[in-house]
Amino acid sequence: MQVSSSERGLVRLFAVDVPSEEIEAFRAQVNGVDGALLSWPLKEALGFTYLDEDFIELFPVSDLEEMGLTGYMVEGLGIAQKDVAEDSARLAAQKGWVLIVLSAAFDGVAQSLSPKAPLRWIGTYKEDGAPVHFEPLPDASAKGPASTQSTVLPAPSSNPHLTLLLAILALPLVALVLGAFLFWIL
């Protein structure tokens, strides 16, 4: 499987043929003292060079309850119903664990995937993009060609530095007036 650097919107689905009691060992990354990745069985099974784990999902199909894998693909991942329709029987029959890898997991790094056991590729699906619909702008002023004359805005009439200087000089005067007022009241 080839992943291009410009890939966007693809969802790769794999069956994970690992018993539930061994899934944590399959998912876990083992790092060395220096923080370098020593082993990651999931990485080794998928055969990738770069993967952002924030964009992969590993879960048992039973967690989806009534929705099922087909429903999750459509409602949860945004795959068009027509795209999963031909695989719906295979998706509905899927038991055990599945791995979902989104295009964003590759973060624009071109690479080749060479999945091997315990992974079994089920399919690659495209996220359904929202249809683009152009409507005319409602205001009459939005119609017609744009003016080619440049408009120059007038410069502000006050200098902000001068305003700040006057405010700083006025503070002691305000403090004296307030102090005199409080002295007169007490």
Side-chain angles (χ1 to χ4, degrees):
M1 291 181 194
Q2 291 300 115
V3 176
S4 73
S5 61
S6 61
E7 178 180 293
R8 301 286 180 267
L10 292 183
V11 176
R12 289 177 174 82
L13 177 65
F14 299 90
V16 182
D17 298 324
V18 172
S20 291
E21 57 273 3
E22 296 176 19
I23 204 72
E24 283 307 315
F26 178 71
R27 175 191 313 219
Q29 297 179 23
V30 178
N31 295 323
V33 178
D34 61 350
L37 182 65
L38 296 178
S39 74
W40 185 9
L42 188 145
K43 174 186 179 197
E44 293 157 11
L46 196 52
F48 61 84
T49 54
Y50 176 85
L51 188 75
D52 183 342
E53 63 184 300
D54 290 337
F55 297 98
I56 64 171
E57 298 178 42
L58 178 64
F59 60 89
V61 175
S62 61
D63 284 357
L64 299 174
E65 298 174 353
E66 298 89 37
M67 177 184 280
L69 191 52
T70 304
Y72 182 68
M73 298 288 288
V74 173
E75 294 177 33
L77 296 173
I79 308 297
Q81 178 68 42
K82 63 181 175 48
D83 292 342
V84 295
E86 63 187 54
D87 291 343
S88 62
R90 189 168 43 139
L91 293 173
Q94 183 63 45
K95 304 288 184 227
W97 290 77
V98 292
L99 173 67
I100 295 175
V101 182
L102 306 175
S103 288
F106 305 112
D107 198 25
V109 176
Q111 55 192 303
S112 294
L113 302 180
S114 51
K116 59 184 178 186
L119 295 181
R120 191 171 22 91
W121 178 70
I122 297 174
T124 301
Y125 304 90
K126 181 151 180 47
E127 293 174 357
D128 191 23
V132 178
H133 179 68
F134 295 102
E135 291 184 16
L137 295 173
D139 194 323
S141 67
K143 295 180 178 161
S147 173
T148 58
Q149 296 177 345
S150 65
T151 305
V152 178
L153 297 175
S157 59
S158 65
N159 183 342
H161 299 289
L162 183 60
T163 304
L164 179 63
L165 181 63
L166 289 175
I168 290 173
L169 293 175
L171 280 176
L173 182 62
V174 170
L176 283 174
V177 170
L178 185 60
F181 179 73
L182 287 175
F183 180 76
W184 180 73
I185 290 178
L186 298 174

